[in-house]
Amino acid sequence: MKHWVAEKLVCPDCLPAEYRLKTKISRQTCDDIVEGKLHCLNCKRAYLIADGIAVVRPERTAKIESPNNGYNEPVMLSAYMWSHFGDLLADPRATDAYRVWSQSFCPTSGDALDVGCAVGRLTFELSRSHERVIGIDTSAAFIANAREIVLKKQVDFDLVVEGNLTEKKHLFLENGWHLENVDFLVADALALPFARHDFSGVAAINVLEKVPDPLKHLAEVNRVLRKQAAMFLFSDPFSWDPTFSPPKCWLGGSNNGGSPYSKRGIDTMRRMFAGEFGVFDPPFEIAAQGDVSWKIRKTENLWEHITSQFLVGRRQEVSA
């Protein structure tokens, strides 16, 4: 973990109160804290830094995950590595989703946060438009691979063909990304370990329907995003699934006449961007919107084709 990231962290267990974490370093390089702990002097919780990766999740949600479970499965790592870098590998079946998403941001002073970054493609792209960028995800396997790309400045992974049959993939990075200004954490989208108004840009791609409390996720984005001269890139397929969140928490996808939300999730999000429900304060001006097609390749013959609807919200700088 880079030293500048450690200086930004607050205790996720103490939110909404914000207590800065104190760093105890066991091993470091000139750029990185390799081993150590982050301590909260208020609640006395300690968060581990191991192999350069800090795990800064609140105790109530920090479940112990098997290395071969869910998003930590090797087949899922292969799927997301291809999804993020397939176009750079010149695979004709890849989409340009990350180019579309990243072009939503204009160069701006300040740092950016990529919530649900997976293996890091959008995080890297945001380094073109922001001074520094942090990517967070709950998958330790995804974060470890994203950080390895930063350290080696190249992409290497085993692409699953079928079963245990794989192909080696390699990509040397020459994309103009500023990898020296990028870092990754294991953290929770419902308890972002950062102080309020700390970021000039936030991206949340395909996260909303994957968290148990979508509304809290959006409230956390609002908390850490600056009140002016700021941008929020939101994108989601709205594939509401009770496995991730109960239907009562969905922000769309329901014919329930008693719900305050629109039937379609994208319509609810437009209303929220405009200031309804008090989630985004101040509200956003919608600067761009549309659909993005992207793919997840699980094996040679098993694909997911997804359409993700997106909104780009801007908060203008208030003149004196």
Side-chain angles (χ1 to χ4, degrees), residues 236-238 291-294 305-309:
D236 207 81
F238 300 104
D291 296 343
V292 174
S293 295
W294 63 292
H305 293 249
I306 302 163
T307 298
S308 188
Q309 298 176 287

Side-chain angles (χ1 to χ4, degrees), residues 14 19 47 67-68 114 122 209 247-248 253 266 275 298 301:
C14 291
Y19 292 93
Y47 305 91
N68 296 311
D114 184 7
L122 185 59
E209 92 270 72
K248 67 179 181 180
I266 192 64
K298 291 187 175 178
N301 299 314

Side-chain angles (χ1 to χ4, degrees), residues 141-155:
F142 284 176
I143 292 298
N145 275 267
R147 181 172 166 79
E148 185 176 359
I149 293 169
V150 171
L151 295 176
K152 294 184 177 180
K153 296 180 173 57
Q154 61 188 35
V155 175

Side-chain angles (χ1 to χ4, degrees), residues 3-11 15 18-21 108-115 130-136 185 192-203 219-231 281-282 315:
H3 291 271
W4 62 264
V5 176
E7 295 172 358
K8 295 173 76 72
L9 295 175
V10 303
C11 178
L15 293 173
E18 297 176 357
Y19 292 93
R20 295 283 181 177
L21 295 176
T108 182
S109 61
D111 299 342
L113 177 65
D114 184 7
V115 181
H130 292 77
E131 294 173 4
R132 302 176 301 191
V133 192
I134 299 173
I136 71 155
L185 302 172
L192 299 174
F194 306 103
R196 66 186 67 250
H197 314 319
D198 201 14
F199 294 95
S200 63
V202 174
E220 278 293 275
V221 169
N222 181 72
R223 181 179 64 84
V224 302
L225 192 62
R226 291 180 183 175
K227 285 186 172 290
Q228 57 180 303
M231 294 184 65
D281 181 23
R315 289 172 174 165

Side-chain angles (χ1 to χ4, degrees), residues 88-121:
L88 301 182
L89 290 165
D91 190 325
R93 297 162 296 182
T95 73
D96 64 349
Y98 288 94
R99 179 188 60 80
V100 174
W101 282 320
S102 64
Q103 287 181 350
S104 300
F105 284 91
C106 56
T108 182
S109 61
D111 299 342
L113 177 65
D114 184 7
V115 181
C117 65
V119 293
R121 172 65 183 275

Side-chain angles (χ1 to χ4, degrees), residues 57 61-67 69 72:
R57 298 182 64 186
T61 61
K63 299 177 181 178
I64 299 174
E65 297 177 325
S66 166
N69 181 52
N72 290 312

